Amino acid sequence: MLFPHFSHPNLQIACVIHLLFEENTFLVWLPGRSDCLVIDPGLEPEKILQALEDRHLQPAAILNTHGHADHIAGNQALKTAWPGCPLVIGRAEAPKLQDPWANLSRPFGLDVVSPPADVLVEDGQQYSAAGLELEILAIPGHSAGHVVYLWKGGEPWVAFVGDVIFQDSIGRTDFPDGSFRQLRSGIREKLFRLPDQTVLLPGHGPPTTVGYEKKHNPFVGLGEKDHADDS
């Protein structure tokens, strides 16, 4: 694991890293509580279930940043274990949950199918569970309905960014509903306007910050030269 437990003064965050795509699933909870959020359950749900058991946690909500297979493959196992736990995703991404072609699992022979969403969120909304209030930021480009979950309940703020941005990189934009122009615009207009110390927890790879990416990201950093658009 790259960072099995992320240190924050006001928030508990553990990461489960899955093989094949090295996707990050985050368990998020407040100190002293046993209910938590599970963000982007990946391809090895048994690891998530074990991590929850080890920490004596119970999911209060399952959050998907987007509908690609490596971020939703564990939904079924969690909903089976906790049928009443709401599954949350951006409104425009909901169709991917039950369509193996749209969620990109069919080309890999995986045929991932998730239960349908219980809650559909949109840009600017708030979603609360496990004592945590999250702001929804819609940032398409990697996937048309991709959302970021932003927590502002303590310093520094924390954003669960899925495949929008990574340390020194960004999400792919060559999928059927991808757009580099949209992704760059969303990152600059929404993420880069957050405080520089805001922690970005991506769907792959290690944590980073808004300030670091503004300065160093070769694709969307404020010093980079514009790349050719793909749409």
Side-chain angles (χ1 to χ4, degrees):
M1 288 188 177
L2 292 175
F3 49 112
H5 190 93
F6 173 74
S7 179
H8 189 284
N10 307 110
L11 197 63
Q12 300 292 311
I13 305 173
C15 179
V16 177
I17 301 175
H18 304 271
L19 298 178
L20 187 58
F21 297 108
E22 295 189 338
E23 183 265 340
N24 299 326
T25 293
F26 294 104
L27 312 181
V28 189
W29 70 102
L30 290 171
R33 294 183 63 135
S34 60
D35 51 346
C36 71
L37 306 177
V38 180
I39 301 177
D40 286 346
L43 288 160
E44 296 176 286
E46 66 279 2
K47 288 185 176 181
I48 304 170
L49 296 174
Q50 187 63 57
L52 290 166
E53 181 179 344
D54 291 346
R55 293 164 176 81
H56 307 289
L57 294 172
Q58 179 168 324
I62 305 159
L63 277 53
N64 295 146
T65 58
H66 62 298
H68 289 163
D70 53 330
H71 293 256
I72 67 169
N75 287 352
Q76 180 65 69
L78 288 170
K79 287 288 284 186
T80 298
W82 291 279
C85 186
L87 176 59
V88 184
I89 197 169
R91 183 175 297 277
E93 286 293 277
K96 290 186 174 73
L97 292 174
Q98 299 182 293
D99 184 342
W101 283 110
N103 66 38
L104 306 179
S105 61
R106 180 66 58 81
F108 292 93
L110 298 176
D111 279 354
V112 170
V113 176
S114 163
D118 300 296
V119 179
L120 302 178
V121 293
E122 298 180 355
D123 188 53
Q125 289 184 339
Q126 303 285 327
Y127 181 77
S128 298
L132 300 162
E133 185 169 311
L134 304 171
E135 182 178 340
I136 309 302
L137 306 178
I139 303 183
H142 173 70
S143 189
H146 199 302
V147 297
V148 167
Y149 298 99
L150 173 64
W151 179 77
K152 301 192 291 186
E155 298 290 343
W157 295 356
V158 178
F160 300 90
V161 297
D163 289 359
V164 166
I165 193 168
F166 309 120
Q167 185 182 84
D168 296 314
S169 189
I170 57 172
R172 289 176 58 173
T173 58
D174 58 343
F175 296 127
D177 59 350
S179 166
F180 175 73
R181 178 184 298 161
Q182 284 186 321
L183 187 60
R184 178 179 60 190
S185 176
I187 290 171
R188 290 182 170 180
E189 294 178 7
K190 294 182 179 179
L191 288 185
F192 283 1
R193 292 185 181 179
L194 300 176
D196 280 356
Q197 64 269 29
T198 302
V199 175
L200 306 177
L201 294 180
H204 306 267
T208 185
T209 65
V210 167
Y212 178 89
E213 297 308 320
K214 283 165 64 175
K215 185 176 181 179
H216 298 289
N217 194 293
F219 298 94
V220 292
L222 299 185
E224 62 90 34
K225 296 180 180 179
D226 285 350
H227 292 242
D229 190 18
D230 60 2
S231 70

